[in-house]
Amino acid sequence: MLRSTFTPILMAFPSKAKKPRNYLNTIITAITNPPQPVRQNASMENMLLQQHTPTSAYVHLPFCRKRCHYCDFPIVALGSSSPYGDDDPRIINYIDFLCREIKATSIPSEYKSPLETVFFGGGTPSLVPPRLVSLVMETLDAKFGVCSDAEISIEMDPGTFDAKKMKDLMKLGVNRVSLGVQAFQEELLRSCGRAHGVQEIHEAIDIVGSCGVKNWSVDLISSLPHQKPHMWEQSLSLTIQATPTHVSVYDLQVEQDTKFASLYTAGEFPLPSENQAADFYRMASEMLRDAGYEHYEISSYCKNGYQCKHNYTYWINKPFYAFGLGSTSYLNGLRFSRPRKLKDYMGYVQSLENGLVNCSEDSKVDAQDIAMDIVMLSLRTARGLDLKSFGKAFGSLTILSLCEVYKPHIESGHVVCLDEQRREISPEEFSSLLSEGNKINEVLAYIRLSDPDGFLLSNELISLAFNVLAP
């Protein structure tokens, strides 16, 4: 799968050169006559101009009790117990710099548009006292404005909040919770270095329910060390029983410079094999869809009407602000990453205040990068790639080249073609349209990956598109 991990997209945007995980023994057909590379044109420039007003903001709150064994995020470990209570100077100082960054961010007047989504990620944002979260919200509102019906999400870990903290956060406007469960087995939680246990998971679920949080998500991780199919089935069953409106299912990736990297090799015992990892993914897709969840993105499932609006900003490649340690914003087609080390981040904020930071310095919007981002992100979703708008921006010949390279995978059922009414086009009809040249541009409106087998080959299939767009 294409980096279906728990790394937020804004912190580590998936690498286009990253070697794919080979879940199935698939032979990728070589492109014998590569097309000309995508070039920037007026349509692409207009597309960027039309979407240049961000209405989403990611805010990184990096504090954790300790670093989990799989984690390579930029965090600040506070320890299992703090002598400061709600007055930890490390948190207070960071929030001060975070608010200063927001205030110092230069926003052209035409960008002034109220925020429709705010996402507090981490780290463990629920370790931050609500009064300090309130300071950040007030700063965002003063800078950009925040819509009265904005989706305000916060990541929370079991054992880090009680009913009072939950209600205090709700009073600030928080209306969506992402609960970092990861697993329902004590042995798996311990092997991951998680700071909570199963009892704390059940207590957290009860708190969320009793406080009346209607929109909440459970995060789970598959392919953990020593994880067996019955364990994964149990975690999925208990999640479904808890009736969250959203579930995120992430496949473990062993990242460099983590404790797991020093202990394990991907695909080797005690980690599941690649085929076992694929079976975990299929099990999640089947069980969650049978329970009434829509599989709307490669790692994301929701009840009707409960897609994460903030994350969907990423999948449709819309611009967004980002603030805080290690976060990456996306403005005017350019991604800008903040320092991952706390001291460097504080220096960055001071430079920003002094007018010494240019987020687009020595950067130029590259048509190939934009095209590849759109393809990669769109094919992660059930909606798929909108070929009509993509063709307007990057040319009808590019669409034809994509169709040619995907032809064997359409025949195998890993890639699905749809018309403008979302009617599925059969492989036979597709072949007939393709043989008529421009006819396919008239009829074909979307391509998407099949669920689950197409999603499992997303790395390989997206790599084929990259070869078309940037041969």
Side-chain angles (χ1 to χ4, degrees):
M1 287 181 286
L2 178 65
R3 187 132 176 112
S4 299
T5 71
F6 28 86
T7 305
I9 187 173
L10 43 104
M11 290 172 56
F13 197 76
S15 168
K16 303 176 186 68
K18 187 177 176 73
K19 182 180 179 181
R21 294 186 69 171
N22 183 22
Y23 278 100
L24 305 175
N25 295 322
T26 300
I27 299 175
I28 305 282
T29 306
I31 303 174
T32 54
N33 295 302
Q36 292 298 309
V38 168
R39 299 189 186 281
Q40 186 163 331
N41 58 41
S43 295
M44 196 273 283
E45 290 174 346
N46 289 335
M47 178 184 66
L48 285 174
L49 288 172
Q50 290 168 5
Q51 61 146 26
H52 76 170
T53 303
T55 57
S56 295
Y58 172 83
V59 181
H60 190 62
L61 302 179
F63 304 101
C64 289
R65 288 178 285 186
K66 62 177 183 175
R67 182 178 289 277
C68 298
H69 299 339
Y70 51 72
C71 176
D72 70 341
F73 299 175
I75 70 160
V76 176
L78 300 175
S80 56
S81 61
S82 172
Y84 305 107
D86 283 350
D87 296 312
D88 193 316
R90 294 167 293 183
I91 299 179
I92 293 172
N93 192 42
Y94 176 81
I95 295 297
D96 175 61
F97 273 88
L98 179 62
C99 291
R100 286 166 58 183
E101 181 194 359
I102 295 170
K103 293 174 183 176
T105 299
S106 177
I107 306 298
S109 58
E110 64 268 24
Y111 267 33
K112 189 72 173 182
S113 186
L115 298 176
E116 297 174 3
T117 74
V118 177
F119 195 102
F120 290 98
T124 307
S126 47
L127 288 173
V128 177
R131 63 183 175 81
L132 297 179
V133 176
S134 179
L135 284 178
V136 179
M137 284 299 301
E138 290 169 7
T139 306
L140 288 171
D141 191 31
K143 184 72 178 184
F144 308 104
V146 177
C147 294
S148 59
D149 60 347
E151 177 191 87
I152 312 294
S153 303
I154 189 167
E155 293 179 344
M156 306 183 78
D157 276 2
T160 64
F161 65 98
D162 55 16
K164 182 181 184 305
K165 180 178 280 189
M166 185 73 261
K167 290 177 181 177
D168 286 346
L169 289 169
M170 292 171 71
K171 289 175 183 176
L172 302 178
V174 171
N175 52 23
R176 185 178 183 278
V177 168
S178 181
L179 193 61
V181 170
Q182 318 313 359
F184 279 88
Q185 295 77 33
E186 294 286 0
E187 60 269 39
L188 294 186
L189 293 172
R190 284 196 299 270
S191 73
C192 290
R194 295 293 290 175
H196 68 262
V198 173
Q199 181 59 38
E200 290 172 307
I201 292 174
H202 293 298
E203 290 172 356
I205 290 172
D206 288 343
I207 291 169
V208 169
S210 66
C211 290
V213 180
K214 292 184 173 62
N215 190 358
W216 66 287
S217 179
V218 166
D219 290 353
L220 297 175
I221 302 176
S222 65
S223 302
L224 293 170
H226 300 287
Q227 191 173 40
K228 301 293 191 292
H230 75 272
M231 295 176 172
W232 183 232
E233 183 177 9
Q234 181 189 42
S235 288
L236 290 166
S237 295
L238 290 172
T239 296
I240 291 168
Q241 289 174 28
T243 64
T245 52
H246 190 282
V247 181
S248 294
V249 175
Y250 301 116
D251 178 60
L252 176 71
Q253 302 287 312
V254 179
E255 305 289 357
Q256 290 183 348
D257 301 321
T258 63
K259 185 169 183 179
F260 271 4
S262 67
L263 296 173
Y264 309 124
T265 300
E268 296 182 8
F269 185 82
L271 296 179
S273 69
E274 301 239 341
N275 286 336
Q276 288 172 323
D279 288 341
F280 285 157
Y281 188 81
R282 291 190 181 96
M283 184 188 297
S285 177
E286 180 179 357
M287 289 182 64
L288 289 168
R289 285 190 293 162
D290 286 348
Y293 290 89
E294 174 195 355
H295 194 180
Y296 73 96
E297 189 271 332
I298 198 167
S299 302
S300 306
Y301 302 78
C302 71
K303 293 291 188 177
N304 185 40
Y306 285 96
Q307 291 184 357
C308 179
K309 295 177 183 177
H310 182 86
N311 285 348
Y312 211 72
T313 296
Y314 306 149
W315 311 139
I316 61 176
N317 209 41
K318 285 182 64 178
F320 55 88
Y321 302 109
F323 305 102
L325 188 70
S327 64
T328 299
S329 54
Y330 178 50
L331 304 171
N332 281 334
L334 298 173
R335 303 189 189 275
F336 180 80
S337 299
R338 286 135 192 86
R340 289 174 56 91
K341 293 184 178 180
L342 192 56
K343 184 177 179 180
D344 294 339
Y345 169 70
M346 291 176 176
Y348 155 78
V349 172
Q350 291 171 336
S351 296
L352 184 67
E353 290 175 321
N354 293 328
L356 302 177
V357 176
N358 183 352
C359 297
S360 60
E361 186 176 7
D362 299 326
S363 298
K364 182 181 179 181
V365 178
D366 184 274
Q368 287 183 0
D369 285 347
I370 294 290
M372 289 191 288
D373 283 353
I374 291 171
V375 169
M376 175 177 64
L377 295 168
S378 296
L379 291 182
R380 289 182 64 102
T381 69
R383 181 175 184 267
L385 177 64
D386 183 339
L387 295 176
K388 299 294 186 183
S389 62
F390 192 78
K392 287 179 183 177
F394 302 105
S396 59
L397 290 179
T398 301
I399 301 299
L400 287 174
S401 297
L402 286 173
C403 289
E404 288 285 357
V405 79
Y406 278 142
K407 186 173 184 293
H409 304 284
I410 291 166
E411 293 171 350
S412 69
H414 291 98
V415 177
V416 179
C417 298
L418 304 166
D419 66 12
E420 289 191 275
Q421 285 71 48
R422 304 290 295 180
R423 177 186 67 88
E424 189 169 326
I425 296 171
S426 69
E428 294 76 19
E429 184 182 357
F430 171 82
S431 294
S432 176
L433 291 169
L434 190 60
S435 67
E436 297 181 46
N438 283 333
K439 185 72 173 176
I440 200 160
N441 283 319
E442 298 174 15
V443 177
L444 190 60
Y446 300 91
I447 54 171
R448 56 154 296 179
L449 306 186
S450 62
D451 182 8
D453 289 336
F455 280 151
L456 281 168
L457 286 179
S458 60
N459 267 1
E460 290 86 341
L461 295 171
I462 291 170
S463 292
L464 285 177
F466 287 176
N467 289 336
V468 169
L469 301 170

